[in-house]
Amino acid sequence: MKSGCLNDAGLNASSLILGLMRIGKMTDSEIQALYGSAIDVGINMIDHADVYGGSRHHCEARFGEAVRLTASQRDGLIIQTKAGIREGYFDFSAKHLMESVDGSLKALRTSYIDVFLLHRPDALVEPEEVAEAFDRLHAAGKVRHFGVSNQSPGQIELLKTAVKQRLIANQVQLSITHAPLVAQGLAINMVGLEQSVDRTLGLLDWSRKEGMTLQAWSPFQKAFFDGPFIGDRTKYPELNDALDDIAKTYGITPTGVAIAWILRHPARMQVVLGTTKSTRVREAAAGSDVVLSRPEWYRLTRAAGHILP
Ligand SMILES: NC(=O)c1ccc[n+]([C@@H]2O[C@H](COP(=O)([O-])OP(=O)(O)OC[C@H]3O[C@@H](n4cnc5c(N)ncnc54)[C@H](OP(=O)(O)O)[C@@H]3O)[C@@H](O)[C@H]2O)c1
């Protein structure tokens, strides 16, 4: 397992993050087993959001109840959570952000959040209000580091006009099959080509230039929560052949290859796993240690349907 992520913030985070969006209906022992398997393979960071689990703070509370962290276990764990999504609207008001953090602290049974992300861009954002919330949360010792999710370079630049703390991470959707972040750059300036449309506003290269860590969510999903591409031979026969071949080469599984594809990118991203199965956590960890060759990386990229003009 690679580590050294978020090092500029002094965090030394693992390249894989255990995402806990899907644990809402799991039992205590299932959550303990999932978390234990992540710790065993060297994952030292978890990802939550106030909105995960249906009712507010539900998944955070299930984790807090099931995994009663000792003081030393808490010290060794990087807890990330998010706020800003409400019922039918987005809300970056200072009041909401501060209330949400208080709810997260209570649910997670901890006195501080390591990394707090603004979940999805609020069109009505006032950067000064976000700055006020961040200052107060930081000064009170409730949040140590800040970041964003699903935001463009321009939106981040706008926040930076008022926010004093460094924004250390941006969590965005990326898998081999859902890859506008990467694929658009392979085909810029091609008239009539869908892949050429810039949906991320240059986010990938901008993030590298800024030294801002990208965290890839939904690493196994075909597109937006529509199921995994692994094993879907109807829609992705060529990709599944490539995943199987490369998995065999390295003695890992297609799940591991899907992770290796993301981590091979020199942006040094983190990957947020959403699996509820310990087996898949271990398979992903095995993949995180593999460095794909250029021909392998590009074969997977082409097999997923992305064009190299
Ligand atoms: N910032 C944001 O806006 C945002 C949005 C969404 C998610 N997230 C974060 O990212 C994390 C990951 O998102 P995600 O859960 O969508 O990602 P994911 O890891 O791509 O998807 C996990 C889901 O796919 C299933 N799956 C994976 N591989 C499979 C396979 N080979 N065969 C059958 N099923 C398979 C898993 O089932 P099993 O449980 O059976 O393995 C699970 O239901 C979340 O936990 C959350 O922390 C962030």
Side-chain angles (χ1 to χ4, degrees):
M1 167 79 45
K2 293 188 194 84
S3 57
C5 299
L6 304 175
N7 255 359
D8 290 354
L11 287 175
N12 195 19
S14 47
S15 56
L16 299 186
I17 300 173
L18 184 68
L20 295 165
M21 180 182 75
R22 297 179 191 262
I23 64 165
K25 293 200 171 89
M26 290 166 66
T27 63
D28 283 4
S29 57
E30 286 167 342
I31 295 172
Q32 287 156 9
L34 176 68
Y35 177 68
S37 66
I39 296 298
D40 287 348
V41 296
I43 292 175
N44 68 353
M45 181 161 184
I46 59 170
D47 182 70
H48 273 288
D50 59 353
V51 78
Y52 292 163
S55 61
R56 203 143 289 266
H57 301 294
H58 179 67
C59 285
E60 293 174 325
R62 287 298 302 119
F63 179 83
E65 282 156 11
V67 184
R68 308 279 177 116
L69 295 168
T70 63
S72 75
Q73 285 169 337
R74 175 65 191 94
D75 282 349
L77 181 65
I78 301 166
I79 300 185
Q80 174 170 275
T81 194
K82 323 180 196 71
I85 298 182
R86 300 189 72 174
E87 294 70 24
Y89 62 107
F90 298 148
D91 187 353
F92 286 180
S93 66
K95 182 170 182 293
H96 175 64
L97 296 178
M98 288 189 297
E99 282 175 1
S100 180
V101 167
D102 284 339
S104 294
L105 293 174
K106 190 162 172 244
L108 290 161
R109 299 171 190 238
T110 182
S111 60
Y112 66 95
I113 302 297
D114 296 276
V115 186
F116 177 61
L117 307 183
L118 300 172
H119 205 156
R120 275 201 178 270
D122 174 10
L124 307 182
V125 63
E126 302 282 3
E128 295 74 17
E129 258 202 88
V130 174
E132 182 199 329
F134 283 10
D135 283 347
R136 290 171 69 172
L137 290 167
H138 193 247
K142 293 179 181 179
V143 174
R144 296 191 171 172
H145 303 278
F146 298 88
V148 298
S149 176
N150 304 306
Q151 299 219 15
S152 69
Q155 290 167 326
I156 297 166
E157 293 287 10
L158 178 66
L159 286 170
K160 283 175 159 179
T161 60
V163 168
K164 294 187 209 78
Q165 296 79 10
R166 229 183 116 226
L167 299 172
I168 66 171
N170 187 8
Q171 197 173 107
V172 286
Q173 186 174 4
L174 177 66
S175 70
I176 305 180
T177 53
H178 179 98
L181 203 60
V182 172
Q184 189 270 334
L186 291 170
I188 65 156
N189 203 24
M190 302 288 291
V191 172
L193 181 65
E194 164 71 11
Q195 186 181 317
S196 204
V197 176
D198 187 0
R199 294 192 157 75
T200 67
L201 307 174
L203 180 63
L204 180 61
D205 296 329
W206 181 86
S207 303
R208 290 180 75 179
K209 181 173 74 70
E210 293 291 306
M212 190 170 182
T213 298
L214 292 169
Q215 299 177 343
W217 59 263
S218 284
F220 305 124
Q221 299 292 301
K222 282 176 271 197
F224 190 63
F225 299 142
D226 59 351
F229 49 81
I230 298 166
D232 184 346
R233 292 197 157 270
T234 308
K235 193 162 179 202
Y236 292 108
E238 204 187 320
L239 175 60
N240 276 282
D241 284 347
L243 287 165
D244 288 348
D245 287 350
I246 295 168
K248 239 179 253 154
T249 304
Y250 292 101
I252 59 173
T253 61
T255 294
V257 178
I259 296 299
W261 182 84
I262 298 173
L263 294 181
R264 174 62 180 83
H265 194 281
R268 302 185 64 238
M269 298 179 222
Q270 291 181 287
V271 180
V272 195
L273 303 174
T275 183
T276 56
K277 303 277 177 352
S278 299
T279 326
R280 272 200 254 281
V281 170
R282 288 190 280 273
E283 291 175 17
S288 76
D289 289 327
V290 165
V291 179
L292 298 177
S293 67
R294 266 197 172 77
E296 288 163 342
W297 189 88
Y298 274 102
R299 178 183 173 194
L300 290 162
T301 305
R302 282 185 281 106
H306 308 301
I307 289 163
L308 267 55

